[in-house]
Every structure is written in C-alpha cells, then in structure tokens.
Amino acid sequence: MIRREFIRLLGGAAAAWPLVAGAQPSAMPVVGFLNSESPELFAYLARAFRQGLSQSGYVEGENVTIEYRWASGRYDRLPALVADLIGRQVAVIAANSPAPVMAAKAATTTIPIVFATGYDPVAAGLVASLARPGGNLTGVTSLTAEVGPKRVELLHELVPAAASIALLVNSAAVAIRETISTDLQAAARKLGLHVHVLHASTEPDFDTVFATLAQLRAGGLVIGSDPFFNSQSEQLADLAIRNAVPAVYQYREFAAAGGLMSYGGSLTDMYRQVGVYTGRILKGEDPTYLPVQQSTKVELILNLKTAKALGLEIPPSLLARADEVIE
C-alpha cells in the first residue's frame, strides 16, 4: 500500500510532461505541492492534504490536478522546483516551512501560496499579520515552536537529576536555527540546566550526534523543530533507544516510533487544513483576506515501554496530563 502511494506521488510529475510538449491544457486547475522532504516518508501528509482538498470539493484526478515536487532534504533544489511549478502555471502552491515557503515567496508575488509552519509566520516575515496576511501568502501555523521551551520542562520532569541536556538543531535551517537554540537554551537556564547544542543536517550526522552525547554524558536530548527531523522520526527514535538517551520531540510520530515522549501539534491536522485553504482559494477566495489559521491542539504522548527500557519511572502527575500513553 505504501509502495502504491509512493508511485502515485512520483507519477504526478510525469503525468504533466505532455502539457509542455504542446498538448491541449487540462480544464482542471493545477495545484503545486512543494515539500522539503521525500514522498516515501511524507506520503501520509500528502494524503491529509488531499483530504482537506476533498472537504472543499476538490478530488485529485476528477476536478483538480496535483503536481508533487519533493526536495528530498536538498534545500538547494527548491528554487528549481518552484520555477518548474510556476512554468506549469499552477493556480496555488502548497508548501511546508520554512525553506520551501521562502523559496516560493522569493519566486512569485502573484501565485497564491498556502503554507504549513510550526513557527510564527509574522516573525518569519511570511505575512503582515495573522488576521490580514496581505500579499499572496496565507496558511496554517501550529504552536510547535512556541511550545519548544515546554519540551525542556517536560524532559526535566522525567530526568530531574540531570545537570545537562543536549539540543539538536538542523544546521541547514539558517532562518530558524538561532531562534530555536536561543529559546530552548533560555528555558534550560531557568531550570539550572547546562545545554550542549549539537547540529545535524544529513542522516550520517546522527551517528556523530549520538556518539557526542555519550562523551558529554548529557542527561537527555531535546530535538529542535524541523521538517528534516520530522522525516527522520523513526531513525531518531531508534538511535535514542539504542544509545539509552531520553529524548523528546514535537510530533506523535516520534513517540509512536519508539521515542520517549512527544509534545506538540498534529502534522496531519495541519496539512488537512492547508488542503481546505487551497480548495477555498481555487474557488476564488483571495489569500490576502484569508486569516492564517492557528492549529492550537497540543498533545503530550508518552511511550511507557521506552521509559521502562531506559529505567525511567514516569511521575504520576505527568501520566495524568498525557493525552496518550503508548504501552
């Protein structure tokens, strides 16, 4: 089933090539789906996006065409991918943040762009305000980055004896890495914790990160919000377990893959809302006047099996606050 989904997502691009060769253009509107990661990892988010589109009355292959463009972690490819979508005269571009959105924003001021982001889109310079975005961008934001300091607090509750923790950030995410690092270090200092900042931007970097963690004897790991880390949730969870590192990340996928704990919003719900907004724009609504939607649902997921494997006892007060306990 996953393989069929992967082939379908890859096939979206190939199906459009005859248009370039001079065939009659389709009467259906074309939507560009731009993502910084890969289809085999993020196919479930494309499904959520299509679900949102269907809620607005658009079904892929029936009354809308979707052109999928995946950077597979190579941010340097994004400008070319955006240019390709613009050349195909897409009606709307749906993109994840920050790098794909910034690439699309730099390339066009006329094609509507609907973003999914875990950061403050006003502070990031994407929109003028949440209520009245202005320009050609609008989208959905969650509290993912804003609740980052809370993840530090939750990790401290689980490992109160730890004097130091580590923070993992994506060195390639230039636009947001300093903000994430500064905010989480400030939260740690309030708790009297020393923070070691580690960097990774490719899969091979992870082995180095966990080897460094062992040398530093850090009591836990907070993984900074980033689309690349989203796509590597399973690998990060596996490495944390194998190296006996208590770790916390933003999305449920991390805890479901064996990570100790996740605290943040829902990726699937955010992409569904992006699909809804894309459909509304296809129907003629102006993104200038579509307020940025705020996905305020925040979930605390605890993996009890992993806690036992790490020799940790989850405090009853923390268990009582959990939205889900994985056993």
Side-chain angles (χ1 to χ4, degrees):
M1 186 171 173
I2 293 173
R3 183 174 179 272
R4 288 201 302 269
E5 182 76 2
F6 178 48
I7 291 171
R8 176 189 188 187
L9 293 174
L10 286 179
W17 283 111
L19 295 179
V20 181
Q24 290 296 318
S26 170
M28 291 192 291
V30 181
V31 169
F33 184 91
L34 179 66
N35 195 283
S36 56
E37 302 309 323
S38 59
E40 62 267 43
L41 295 171
F42 273 12
Y44 74 104
L45 295 180
R47 280 197 301 274
F49 173 73
R50 290 193 297 271
Q51 180 188 2
L53 267 178
S54 69
Q55 289 178 232
S56 296
Y58 288 94
V59 178
E60 184 181 16
E62 293 184 11
N63 57 356
V64 68
T65 297
I66 304 176
E67 288 284 339
Y68 301 94
R69 296 295 180 272
W70 305 87
S72 297
R74 288 184 51 191
Y75 291 6
D76 60 306
R77 295 182 58 203
L78 288 167
L81 294 175
V82 173
D84 185 36
L85 290 174
I86 292 173
R88 294 178 187 280
Q89 299 182 328
V90 295
V92 186
I93 295 175
N96 69 323
S97 181
V101 174
M102 297 304 288
K105 184 176 186 290
T108 179
T109 58
T110 56
I111 298 173
I113 300 167
V114 184
F115 56 76
T117 181
Y119 311 101
D120 180 350
V122 178
L126 298 179
V127 296
S129 73
L130 297 180
R132 189 64 67 88
N136 60 321
L137 280 80
T138 188
V140 183
T141 182
S142 71
L143 296 174
T144 296
E146 286 82 350
V147 299
K150 183 65 177 178
R151 292 186 203 107
V152 175
E153 295 175 19
L154 290 169
L155 183 62
H156 182 58
E157 280 191 62
L158 275 175
V159 286
S164 68
I165 62 172
L167 166 64
L168 179 62
V169 296
N170 185 350
S171 55
V174 180
I176 57 172
R177 68 187 182 199
E178 292 303 324
T179 299
I180 293 173
S181 180
T182 300
D183 291 348
L184 297 188
Q185 286 187 80
R189 281 196 297 269
K190 288 181 181 179
L191 298 170
L193 296 171
H194 178 71
V195 180
H196 304 281
V197 180
L198 306 177
H199 298 88
S201 59
T202 65
E203 289 185 51
D205 292 339
F206 293 148
D207 289 330
T208 303
V209 164
F210 281 89
T212 304
L213 278 171
Q215 294 171 0
L216 295 171
R217 297 186 179 182
L221 174 66
V222 178
I223 302 170
S225 304
D226 189 82
F228 171 60
F229 296 154
N230 295 347
S231 71
Q232 302 298 317
S233 286
E234 288 190 18
Q235 184 177 354
L236 286 167
D238 180 62
L239 284 166
I241 295 169
R242 284 198 281 120
N243 290 274
V245 176
V248 57
Y249 191 42
Q250 57 186 343
Y251 293 121
R252 183 188 182 280
E253 287 79 1
F254 176 72
L260 176 62
M261 175 170 54
S262 66
Y263 184 72
S266 168
L267 267 177
T268 52
D269 184 62
M270 189 158 55
Y271 272 76
R272 181 191 60 78
Q273 292 185 58
V274 168
V276 170
Y277 252 25
T278 299
R280 289 177 63 176
I281 292 172
L282 288 175
K283 288 182 175 179
E285 293 192 53
D286 188 339
T288 300
Y289 304 108
L290 282 176
V292 174
Q293 294 291 309
Q294 292 180 279
S295 180
T296 57
K297 182 181 180 182
V298 178
E299 300 174 321
L300 171 61
I301 314 295
L302 298 171
N303 191 313
L304 199 57
K305 182 180 179 181
T306 299
K308 289 178 180 177
L310 294 173
L312 297 174
E313 185 173 342
I314 299 179
S317 59
L318 195 57
L319 279 171
R321 302 201 309 268
D323 295 279
E324 182 182 352
V325 176
I326 299 173
E327 299 185 60

